[in-house]
Structure formats: structure tokens, C-alpha cells
Amino acid sequence: MEQKVFVYNTLTRTKEEFIPLDAPYVGMYVCGPTVYSDAHLGNARTYISFDLIFRYLTHLGYKVRYVRNITDAGHLEGDADEGEDKISKKAKLAKLEPMEIVQKYSTGFHDIMRTFNVLPPSIEPTATGHIIEQIELVKIMLAKGAAYEVNGSVYFDVEKYNQTTDYGILSGRHLEDLLNNTRTLGGQDEKRGKLDFALWIKAKPEHLMKWPSPWSIGFPGWHLECSAMSHKYLGEQFDIHGGGLDLIPTHHTNEVAQNIACYGKSPARYWVHTNMLTVNGQKMSKSLGNSFLPHELFSGDNAILNKGYSPMTVRFFMLQAHYRSTLDFSNDAMEASEKGFKRLMNAFSLLESLQASGTTEVEIQPLMDRCYEALNDDFNSPILIAELFEASRIINSVHDNKLKIDEVNLALLKTLMHTFVTGILGLLNEQASSDELPHVLDFIMNLRSEAKINRDYATSDKIRDGLQKIGFQLKDSKEGTTWSKI
């Protein structure tokens, strides 16, 4: 059946039916990372959320061009128009070339995305690869009177723009409030207004990353790059623009202003934003000492974690919360997710062994419909997961001969699980991912047998109890010892 998808649009603050500009083609732009440090869990949450959206729209038959950029220049400290470039500063401290920093952290970001089974975007442009396009946009804004040049730097004139267009249309904030709450920043004496932002910045002699332009040797403003790259690959207007909630007040607000100034329209029709992460109810931050990186979450090598969790457990945990809700990390929440994920995957593992048995006692189509309804309602992954637990209950009941199912419904049940668990949620069955596991367990059981022969019962019991703690039960009999998943 044809699916009607409804998306919460930050621009209108309502859920709207998703109607692409040029179906079946869909253009989606998501602001990517600034590659000056390790990818953090906030990054991961955002890109896992948009991976779900990308997968689902593709599943529905849309031809999605997904553009997710890499910021490798122009992002200054404090996200403003002053201070050092974040990448250049890191390069100076490490006595490396800026592009060595970019290469290192871009590779690390891609490694983390693969670990979380996040599909790569269709195009991954870089800011430094699109300097010419950014200069051309600045020329357009100058020609249209939306920007002005001072001493080799070019600024966007916010108050002039606001005379004809609401500058705070995306954030919902009025210009007067923004002006009253804006502190004086460096470079302020060059600007006509407190809210004006840099499109091109004249480089100081010590600045490492700089390019020639009609105005000066300098570098582009942070907000300009996304406007240039989204326009190049998706056009003057496209379907979805995404990113974290923290990008709304400044970065995305300025993108909207740049696009309207150049082309007379907002770059995207639907603005989609992911919410923030907290730890035990507090905002995650280095200053509070409660932040941790993905690899620390996998290994458990962090003081606030009781143990490590597998990448798919973490992905499952993130998808158990709706992308627009706050996601709170705690040891209890992670352990509950780990149990839930194992329960789902244990049922998934039983799928191929299920047998049809005469007249069915369960109809799968209503369950399938509810799975689609969940995702059609603003990609509601927690409701979808609840429905998949119902599917798991049915699988276990059929496996235990407590429920009959015919061939048609069994085939539909298998389709449902493969479609939603692996295809759309992107969850991999880590239990089944290693062909080496049986050999490893056989080796451990042989060690235990040797301990028993040597009457080292303490070691024998320690091996048995240790395996039980991590989910493997040993059963001794006259024929030998066998193992099974708990």
C-alpha cells in the first residue's frame, strides 16, 4: 500500500505530510561534523537518526540524494566570527598540517559510522573543496545589497534583511530579542549591526588556511559553506535539511537568510532536528566531566560506565528514543536496552527454524500495518520497536508450539522482521555475526574439561559461571558438554 509520511517541520512547528518537490526524487542535506576532534555521541545520535530516515524513504521507493558535508575549514572557536579556526588551532598544537588533522578525524568519523552501521551519504562534500562556489554566493549577496565589504571582510546585513523577511523565522525568535541578548564580539567595529555575520573573513598573517578572493586573502564563514554545497548538489530548494537542535539559532538561521537573499526561497521545505543528549539527567559536557566517546562506551573505559556495550546495543538504545526527544544515558538505561536488544535478536535468530502448522492462529498483516504507521508518524522508532517486540513474542510462541501459523503469515512475519529490524532500523545480529564463536566456545569447554580431569573444580566452576554471566549456559551429560544461548 502507498504510505503517507508525516514529518515534524521546525520551520512551521507542525507535523506536515511529506510531499517531495520532484517525486520520486528526494534531496536531503544534513550538516556533517567539523573534523578537529573525535566524533562524539551527539554526532552519532544525529547521524543514526538520519540514517533511519534515509533508509525508510529509500525503502518506500524514493530515490534519495543524501548530502552530508565535512567541515574542514572556516569553523572558528565559539562558533562566531572571531578566534582561531578549530582545525588550524589543533594543527598548531600538534605541529601538523591542518589537512593531517582533517584526514585523521575524518577517518575516525567514518570508522565510527561504519561501526554503528550508518550508511554512507550519496555525496560527502568538503568546505575546502567548494571555495569557488562560496565566493560566487558572496558575489550574489553583494550584488543584491544583502551584504557589505569592510577592510577585506564581507558581512551579511541582518537588520536590512529583516526589513523584508523575518530573520528569526526558523528559531521563532524576534529580531529585537536577539539584538538585546547579543553581546559585543571581536570584529564588532567593522560590522554595521550586532547580528551581522561573516561571509568572508580577511585572514591574519598567522592564519594557516586561506584562499584568494576578490576582497582579500581569507577564508569563508562557517554558515556559507552549507549554503554553497546544498545549492550545488540539491538546487535552490530541496526537500529536507537536518542537523542537531543546537544548530537552529545561528547556523541554520543564517543558512535560511543566505538562501533567501540569493534565491528568494528557504533552502529546504522541511527542517528536521534531533534533540540533545544528557547523562543521568545532566547535559553531556566535558566541563561537567560526564562526557564519553563512542569507543569508551564500547569498552566501558570511563569512570561513569559500569561496563562496555556493543555498537548495536548503543544503536538500539538510541533508536528506542524518538529523535526529537532528549536521550538520557545511564547505566540502568543501557543495561535495559542491552536486555531488550538481546531479546529481539534471539527471536530474530529463530526465524529460519520456524515451521508453518496448519490453520493460523495469528494474522501478521495488522502488525505489519502498525509498523508502517509508526514510521509514517514522524519516523517514530520507539513505537516501531514496541511492535517488533510483539513480533518477537509471536516468534517465540510459534517456536515453542504454543501458537499455530500458516505459510502465508509465516512468510509475512519473516518479511516484517527482515524489513524493519535489519533493513530500516539497521540493526545487525551480533550473535550471528561471527562464524568463529562456536570454535571459541569449544576451546573454552575443552579447557574446562581438562580442569575437571585434573580435579580443579574451582576453575571448572569459574568457567561455567563466567560463561553464564555473559549469556551462555553449559549443560553436562553422559555424552559430554553442550552450550546454548540464555
Side-chain angles (χ1 to χ4, degrees), residues 62-320:
Y62 291 112
K63 298 181 187 303
V64 185
R65 178 178 288 174
Y66 176 15
V67 183
R68 187 187 68 206
N69 73 295
I70 292 282
T71 295
D72 57 353
H75 195 167
L76 304 186
E77 295 174 287
D79 300 343
D81 297 336
E82 59 167 327
E84 255 188 295
D85 181 290
K86 292 182 177 186
I87 290 164
S88 292
K89 182 176 182 180
K90 191 80 172 233
K92 285 178 183 175
L93 289 171
K95 296 184 178 176
L96 296 170
E97 283 289 327
M99 284 299 129
E100 287 181 276
I101 297 298
V102 167
Q103 184 67 34
K104 175 183 176 181
Y105 291 111
S106 294
T107 300
F109 171 70
H110 291 139
D111 287 344
I112 287 294
M113 291 299 100
R114 277 191 296 273
T115 302
F116 279 127
N117 196 29
V118 171
L119 297 174
S122 316
I123 303 172
E124 192 172 53
T126 63
T128 56
H130 295 77
I131 298 296
I132 292 170
E133 288 84 356
Q134 294 176 75
I135 289 172
E136 289 305 307
L137 276 193
V138 177
K139 287 180 182 176
I140 293 171
M141 284 182 265
L142 282 168
K144 293 198 171 185
Y148 56 91
E149 186 251 330
V150 182
N151 299 328
S153 292
V154 182
Y155 298 97
F156 189 93
D157 193 330
V158 171
E159 289 178 61
K160 184 178 179 183
Y161 168 84
N162 195 70
Q163 290 170 7
T164 56
T165 310
D166 181 7
Y167 175 68
I169 190 170
L170 188 65
S171 66
R173 298 167 72 188
H174 297 296
L175 188 75
E176 296 75 24
D177 297 333
L178 292 168
L179 285 167
N180 292 336
N181 294 326
T182 301
R183 61 190 175 89
T184 302
L185 298 171
Q188 194 67 61
D189 54 335
E190 288 190 345
K191 298 180 183 180
R192 293 176 184 170
K194 286 200 291 184
L195 292 175
D196 294 357
F197 58 90
L199 300 171
W200 186 266
I201 303 170
K202 182 179 179 180
K204 293 177 181 175
E206 67 271 16
H207 198 91
L208 294 179
M209 304 174 81
K210 49 197 171 188
W211 294 265
S213 79
W215 316 287
S216 65
I217 291 176
F219 54 95
W222 173 39
H223 316 300
L224 184 66
E225 66 183 65
C226 288
S227 290
M229 289 185 281
S230 66
H231 173 256
K232 174 159 185 169
Y233 298 110
L234 300 173
E236 292 181 6
Q237 190 172 55
F238 50 93
D239 297 301
I240 297 171
H241 195 315
L245 207 60
D246 58 318
L247 296 178
I248 295 172
T250 306
H251 186 55
H252 285 172
T253 287
N254 291 345
E255 274 191 72
V256 171
Q258 289 167 164
N259 216 78
I260 291 175
C262 287
Y263 309 114
K265 58 187 82 169
S266 172
R269 296 174 69 216
Y270 303 89
W271 287 80
V272 179
H273 292 95
T274 55
N275 211 322
M276 63 189 287
L277 295 178
T278 56
V279 180
N280 298 317
Q282 284 187 304
K283 184 179 178 182
M284 182 183 282
S285 72
K286 288 180 182 177
S287 60
L288 291 172
N290 68 349
S291 68
F292 42 87
L293 296 170
H295 68 84
E296 294 174 319
L297 191 52
F298 302 152
S299 67
D301 188 19
N302 187 292
I304 64 177
L305 295 168
N306 290 342
K307 64 173 192 174
Y309 299 92
S310 75
M312 286 300 103
T313 298
V314 179
R315 182 178 174 111
F316 179 74
F317 168 73
M318 290 185 175
L319 291 169
Q320 277 190 297

Side-chain angles (χ1 to χ4, degrees), residues 102 419 478:
V102 167
T419 297
K478 291 177 182 177

Side-chain angles (χ1 to χ4, degrees), residues 294-456:
H295 68 84
E296 294 174 319
L297 191 52
F298 302 152
S299 67
D301 188 19
N302 187 292
I304 64 177
L305 295 168
N306 290 342
K307 64 173 192 174
Y309 299 92
S310 75
M312 286 300 103
T313 298
V314 179
R315 182 178 174 111
F316 179 74
F317 168 73
M318 290 185 175
L319 291 169
Q320 277 190 297
H322 190 265
Y323 75 87
R324 285 196 294 114
S325 65
T326 303
L327 179 64
D328 187 50
F329 271 92
S330 70
N331 284 296
D332 288 346
M334 285 303 306
E335 284 176 24
S337 280
E338 184 177 58
K339 287 176 184 173
F341 177 64
K342 284 182 178 177
R343 185 153 54 98
L344 183 63
M345 284 304 164
N346 284 341
F348 190 86
S349 299
L350 295 175
L351 268 180
E352 297 313 312
S353 66
L354 295 187
Q355 299 291 322
S357 52
T359 305
T360 193
E361 295 174 339
V362 60
E363 295 291 336
I364 301 301
Q365 189 59 54
L367 180 57
M368 178 81 85
D369 293 344
R370 294 198 301 273
C371 288
Y372 278 109
E373 284 167 12
L375 289 177
N376 292 341
D377 182 15
D378 198 24
F379 313 105
N380 199 321
S381 56
I383 298 296
L384 171 62
I385 288 170
E387 299 296 353
L388 292 175
F389 278 130
E390 172 61 13
S392 299
R393 185 194 66 77
I394 293 169
I395 290 168
N396 289 322
S397 296
V398 171
H399 179 263
D400 295 339
N401 297 316
K402 293 176 181 175
L403 194 65
K404 291 181 179 178
I405 192 167
D406 62 16
E407 292 281 1
V408 172
N409 280 285
L410 179 56
L412 198 56
L413 180 59
K414 290 180 178 180
T415 298
L416 182 153
M417 291 296 281
H418 283 287
T419 297
F420 291 101
V421 175
T422 57
I424 295 169
L425 291 180
L427 297 169
L428 300 176
N429 192 352
E430 291 166 321
Q431 299 168 11
S433 63
S434 176
D435 295 332
E436 303 301 320
L437 182 60
H439 302 298
V440 172
L441 284 164
D442 286 343
F443 176 73
I444 294 171
M445 288 192 299
N446 286 334
L447 289 178
R448 181 170 174 264
S449 295
E450 287 177 16
K452 287 172 75 176
I453 290 168
N454 295 327
R455 300 193 177 191
D456 183 0

Side-chain angles (χ1 to χ4, degrees), residues 15 185 473:
K15 276 186 198 174
L185 298 171
Q473 188 168 45

